[in-house]
Amino acid sequence: SLNAAVQGEGPCGLLGADGDDSLYPIAVLIDELRNEDVQLRLNSIKKLSTIALALGVERTRTELLPFLTDTIYDEDEVLLALAEQLGNFTMLVGGPEYVHCLLDSVRLLAVEACVSIATLLPQEDLETLVMPTLRQAAEDKSWRVRYMVADKFSELQKAVGPEITKNDLVPAFQNLLKDCEAEVRAAAANKVKEFCENLPEDNREQIIMTHILPCVKELVSDTNQHVKSALASVIMGLSTILGKDNTIEHLLPLFLAQLKDECPEVRLNIISNLDCVNEVIGIRQLSQSLLPAIVELAEDAKWRVRLAIIEYMPLLAGQLGVEFFDEKLNTLCMAWLIDHVYAIREAATCNLMKLVDKFGTEWAQNTIVPKVLGMANDPNYLHRMTTLFCINALSETCGDEIITKQMLPVVLKMSNDQVANVRFNVAKSLQKIGPKIEKGVLQAEVKPVLEKLATDQDMDVKYFAQEALSGEKKLFHRWIQILNADDK
């Protein structure tokens, strides 16, 4: 196939792979089309008719033309040569009845043009001048044309108005949602919420329940994960359109099914849009299925999946409430702090700061801070460093009292750590939290530790300790200025 040719390293390697001599001219074509010399690319284009003869009409239609459409984005001179060649391809694709396949790109562009034209024409002209073309495009033999219709469906819907939408676009949208090509179904699925939102209010619910929802139910169990993922990114939005009763009866079973989907992206997309359903029926309706889905994503082997669920945790926490969070999700958040991937540990640290913003400093003092500070005694130095990173982040949101009474003693104790990386991060942490510590405590407790670190055998530790001391001096000068100003 031409896909094999595209991925091959050259004619010899390609023929060695499957022994198909008919692919040799294609392999040569690919090599020449990749050449930096424009003239060689032009020469290759001029050989297209010979290659088409060698492949035969069927393979020319099904392989050569899609290959050219997908791969050639070139200078005008090369594109002109290609157009001239294809202008003589009628018989090479099987005669006049197949000549439409030489136009994949013209019909493709016609869809967008129809949308633009429809916005300019009066309603009475749309039916005769625009809709015949759009009806054909929605049923076009080329999936790329149907994909374009699906991709532009919301714009098209707004351009043609409610009457044509009801009579023509609703059945067309149903067909696109059931299309044989996954790319088309995915594009249509992505437009479900917008399409439903833009339906006429007087019969919106009836159209959705009768014509759209049955298709949506089928897509929930689609064989293609990209289709399911596209649907999952918008389906929650239907709850605000259909209301509480319809959501509980018809949409809730779909949400629950998607939360158990084998594809992580589907589960993530549902979780990331929970705010829509929370407004209508409350998130508690989903909590029993939500928790297993979150746990699975939190422990997924792919670190990017774990990262994604961490980013949604503050949203979830706000919707589920502090009691549910402490009971079900707190342990997960702490586990991420000792993940083997640095990006996860970093995101988990930022997550704690956002959670404190949501639940308050008192919650942090009772729930989070003791667990974070407990990691300072962990045998793994990376986990001890995470303690310092968390202190840096939490100092932005926790009060000065928590910093001085709970965090500072731990940081000072860690200045004696055997690992240099921990010690120089102690210096950086002291510089970070220094402005939030009283002058007397700085002078009596922090300064001696930094002076000791400034004589450390490790060069990095010395450097960061000296930086912190320099920052401390500037801070003292600032305090003196403030005090003098107060006296005046």
Side-chain angles (χ1 to χ4, degrees), residues 189-472:
N190 202 39
K191 300 294 178 182
V192 163
K193 180 191 172 186
E194 282 185 73
F195 180 76
C196 292
E197 274 180 334
N198 295 328
L199 287 169
E201 287 189 29
D202 57 344
N203 54 4
R204 177 191 293 162
E205 184 177 327
Q206 184 267 326
I207 291 174
I208 296 172
M209 299 302 295
T210 306
H211 301 288
I212 306 303
L213 197 58
C215 301
V216 169
K217 288 179 178 178
E218 290 180 19
L219 292 179
V220 166
S221 55
D222 197 277
T223 55
N224 186 281
Q225 71 177 51
H226 299 296
V227 176
K228 293 188 292 185
S229 180
L231 180 66
S233 67
V234 299
I235 190 173
M236 303 290 266
L238 292 179
S239 57
T240 55
I241 301 170
L242 291 175
K244 183 175 181 178
D245 292 341
N246 284 326
T247 296
I248 293 173
E249 184 177 352
H250 298 286
L251 295 179
L252 192 57
L254 305 183
F255 301 156
L256 295 173
Q258 288 172 308
L259 280 172
K260 297 173 184 174
D261 195 275
E262 61 186 15
C263 174
E265 193 171 322
V266 173
R267 304 197 299 273
L268 273 174
N269 284 346
I270 286 292
I271 289 170
S272 65
N273 288 282
L274 282 173
D275 52 331
C276 298
V277 74
N278 194 31
E279 293 173 16
V280 180
I281 62 170
I283 209 169
R284 294 286 176 176
Q285 297 269 8
L286 287 169
S287 60
Q288 291 302 110
S289 294
L290 190 59
L291 188 63
I294 293 171
V295 171
E296 283 184 25
L297 291 168
E299 298 172 350
D300 195 277
K302 298 185 181 71
W303 70 268
R304 292 187 186 278
V305 174
R306 302 199 299 278
L307 184 63
I309 193 63
I310 292 173
E311 289 170 354
Y312 294 128
M313 192 55 66
L315 171 71
L316 285 169
Q319 292 170 349
L320 290 166
V322 67
E323 290 181 13
F324 186 96
F325 180 85
D326 283 343
E327 183 184 346
K328 307 289 185 182
L329 300 178
N330 200 323
T331 305
L332 278 180
C333 290
M334 299 309 298
W336 284 322
L337 291 172
I338 56 173
D339 194 279
H340 66 278
V341 176
Y342 174 76
I344 300 296
R345 300 197 300 273
E346 183 181 41
T349 302
C350 295
N351 174 53
L352 288 187
M353 185 170 64
K354 292 174 183 175
L355 290 173
V356 174
D357 282 336
K358 285 206 178 288
F359 294 150
T361 54
E362 186 177 347
W363 172 82
Q365 187 173 9
N366 296 330
T367 310
I368 294 295
V369 173
K371 293 179 180 178
V372 167
L373 298 182
M375 290 168 55
N377 300 314
D378 196 289
N380 188 324
Y381 85 96
L382 293 173
H383 300 168
R384 300 199 297 277
M385 284 174 59
T386 300
T387 297
L388 294 170
F389 299 151
C390 288
I391 287 172
N392 294 347
L394 291 172
S395 68
E396 298 287 337
T397 52
C398 290
D400 294 355
E401 187 176 353
I402 295 176
I403 294 169
T404 302
K405 291 186 177 179
Q406 291 183 259
M407 295 180 177
L408 181 60
V410 173
V411 177
L412 295 175
K413 184 179 178 182
M414 292 176 75
S415 66
N416 297 315
D417 199 283
Q418 293 181 345
V419 177
N421 278 18
V422 176
R423 296 199 302 278
F424 81 63
N425 273 291
V426 165
K428 291 170 76 173
S429 291
L430 290 173
Q431 185 175 13
K432 172 77 175 175
I433 66 177
K436 298 179 183 294
I437 297 172
E438 292 178 1
K439 180 182 175 182
V441 176
L442 267 181
Q443 191 72 24
E445 298 182 36
V446 176
K447 189 176 180 182
V449 169
L450 287 175
E451 287 174 343
K452 179 185 174 185
L453 292 174
T455 61
D456 197 278
Q457 292 181 344
D458 185 273
M459 294 301 294
D460 289 329
V461 177
K462 288 173 68 173
Y463 171 78
F464 285 110
Q466 288 165 359
E467 283 283 298
L469 283 169
S470 174
E472 187 185 63

Side-chain angles (χ1 to χ4, degrees), residues 54-70:
L55 289 174
V57 294
E58 186 174 345
R59 291 189 72 186
T60 295
R61 289 196 304 267
T62 59
E63 296 184 49
L64 179 59
L65 291 177
F67 165 71
L68 293 172
T69 302
D70 290 342

